[in-house]
């Protein structure tokens, strides 16, 4: 049985193309966010981030047209359905694609890296897949503040939102990097942390420690009034 492709190749988007310029082959997996599929893939989502989710930006900016579902969203839905309906087949397919991604990168003299939560926020440390590749870098953004037993090759950046300021401050105290979205331009500091430009590339594991990853509002976020986007 042929399964849907799980990982987006490095040359598949502007975001991952940037990574290649830094010598990395960046593979990202996109699932249906929050409860869009009927299952919740973002358990710590806030109302602000749900409204401005990048799931419907760029080529994904329409979900239905002339009775047809955007094929990008259809693919994300199929991946999510497979994850929840047949976890074993999903993880087997994901392992195969990671191995194929590693081979693809090595052939091109690039370092393979993997982000499994492109449009989701699952606890991948619970599924044993990252530990199988302990010499390969994985990374994600997350709004789940109480994640535990994180593999040493899995880098997490905590995402600030309009209603998780307490958790954001705890992340800062605990030495985690945070990410925040700003409306027009990046400040020099936020919560006492130096703000770095997170739009230069997506390779968060390269960021200096104790930094705030600043992102400029895009898509629906440009019109946010919830406080998710900082003025």
């Amino acid at each position: 049985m042929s399964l849907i492709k799980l990982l987006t190749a490095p040359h598949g988007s502007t975001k991952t193309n940037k990574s290649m310029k830094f010598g990395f082959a960046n593979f990202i997996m996109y699932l249906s966010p929050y409860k869009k599929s009927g299952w919740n893939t973002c358990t710590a989502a806030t109302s602000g981030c749900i409204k401005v989710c990048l799931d419907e930006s760029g080529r994904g900016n329409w979900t239905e047209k002339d009775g047809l579902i955007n094929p990008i969203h259809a693919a994300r839905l199929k991946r999510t359905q497979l994850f929840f309906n047949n976890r074993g087949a999903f993880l087997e397919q994901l392992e195969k694609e990671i191995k194929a991604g590693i081979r693809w990168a090595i052939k091109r003299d690039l370092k393979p890296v993997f982000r499994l939560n492109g449009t989701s926020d699952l606890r991948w440390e619970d599924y044993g897949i990252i530990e199988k590749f302990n010499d390969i870098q994985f990374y994600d953004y997350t709004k789940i503040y109480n994640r535990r037993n994180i593999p040493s090759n899995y880098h997490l950046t905590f995402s600030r939102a309009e209603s998780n300021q307490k958790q954001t401050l705890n992340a800062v105290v605990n030495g985690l990097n945070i990410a925040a979205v700003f409306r027009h331009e990046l400040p020099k500091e936020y919560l006492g942390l130096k703000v770095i430009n997170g739009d230069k590339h997506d390779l968060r594991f390269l960021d200096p420690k104790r930094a705030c990853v600043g992102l400029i509002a895009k898509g629906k976020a440009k019109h946010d009034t919830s406080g998710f986007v900082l003025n």
Side-chain angles (χ1 to χ4, degrees):
M1 175 180 171
S2 177
L3 299 176
I4 187 169
K5 190 80 172 173
L6 300 179
L7 297 174
T8 297
H11 54 280
S13 71
T14 303
K15 178 182 292 186
T16 49
N17 270 331
K18 290 180 181 179
S19 299
M20 295 177 73
K21 295 177 182 178
F22 289 85
F24 292 88
N26 188 356
F27 297 84
I28 302 180
M29 181 163 64
Y30 295 97
L31 303 179
S32 294
Y34 190 47
K35 298 180 180 179
K36 201 169 188 177
S37 65
W39 293 279
N40 191 349
T41 62
C42 306
T43 56
T46 66
S47 59
C49 77
I50 293 167
K51 290 178 182 177
V52 303
C53 183
L54 291 175
D55 174 61
E56 294 184 16
S57 66
R59 290 182 296 171
N61 63 0
W62 59 270
T63 53
E64 186 174 338
K65 185 185 295 183
D66 299 327
L68 298 175
I69 297 176
N70 183 327
I72 292 173
H73 292 291
R76 292 176 184 177
L77 177 60
K78 288 179 180 178
R79 293 183 195 114
T80 309
Q81 289 172 332
L82 181 61
F83 176 80
F84 285 100
N85 288 328
N86 194 339
R87 188 71 49 79
F90 182 98
L91 293 175
E92 182 179 354
Q93 176 73 9
L94 181 57
E95 184 175 346
K96 290 179 180 178
E97 291 193 27
I98 291 173
K99 290 178 179 177
I102 293 171
R103 293 193 297 269
W104 188 95
I106 291 174
K107 286 181 180 178
R108 291 159 177 81
D109 198 27
L110 296 169
K111 294 180 181 179
V113 295
F114 297 86
R115 179 180 168 188
L116 302 184
N117 281 327
T119 42
S120 57
D121 194 2
L122 297 172
R123 298 175 187 254
W124 286 106
E125 61 273 17
D126 291 345
Y127 300 104
I129 188 71
I130 294 175
E131 292 89 336
K132 289 185 177 183
F133 302 92
N134 56 19
D135 57 341
I136 299 297
Q137 183 69 60
F138 291 77
Y139 72 102
D140 274 317
Y141 292 91
T142 186
K143 286 187 176 68
I144 304 173
Y145 73 94
N146 62 346
R147 294 176 72 163
R148 298 287 187 273
N149 302 317
I150 306 301
S152 59
N153 59 322
Y154 190 20
H155 183 279
L156 294 174
T157 300
F158 188 82
S159 293
R160 179 261 171 207
E162 82 287 352
S163 59
N164 70 356
Q165 194 74 359
K166 181 179 179 180
Q167 288 83 7
T168 302
L169 290 169
N170 285 339
V172 172
V173 170
N174 291 329
L176 289 178
N177 281 5
I178 63 170
V181 182
F182 298 89
R183 193 169 305 281
H184 298 301
E185 59 184 39
L186 302 181
K188 292 183 178 180
E189 289 189 354
Y190 179 66
L191 298 181
L193 302 179
K194 180 181 178 181
V195 175
I196 62 173
N197 187 349
D199 290 320
K200 285 186 176 180
H201 59 70
D202 194 55
L203 305 168
R204 299 279 65 88
F205 53 91
L206 295 181
D207 296 337
K209 292 182 178 180
R210 298 195 60 78
C212 172
V213 180
L215 304 163
I216 296 297
K218 304 170 187 64
K220 294 180 180 180
K222 293 179 180 179
H223 311 288
D224 172 74
T225 58
S226 72
F228 177 84
V229 175
L230 294 164
N231 293 317

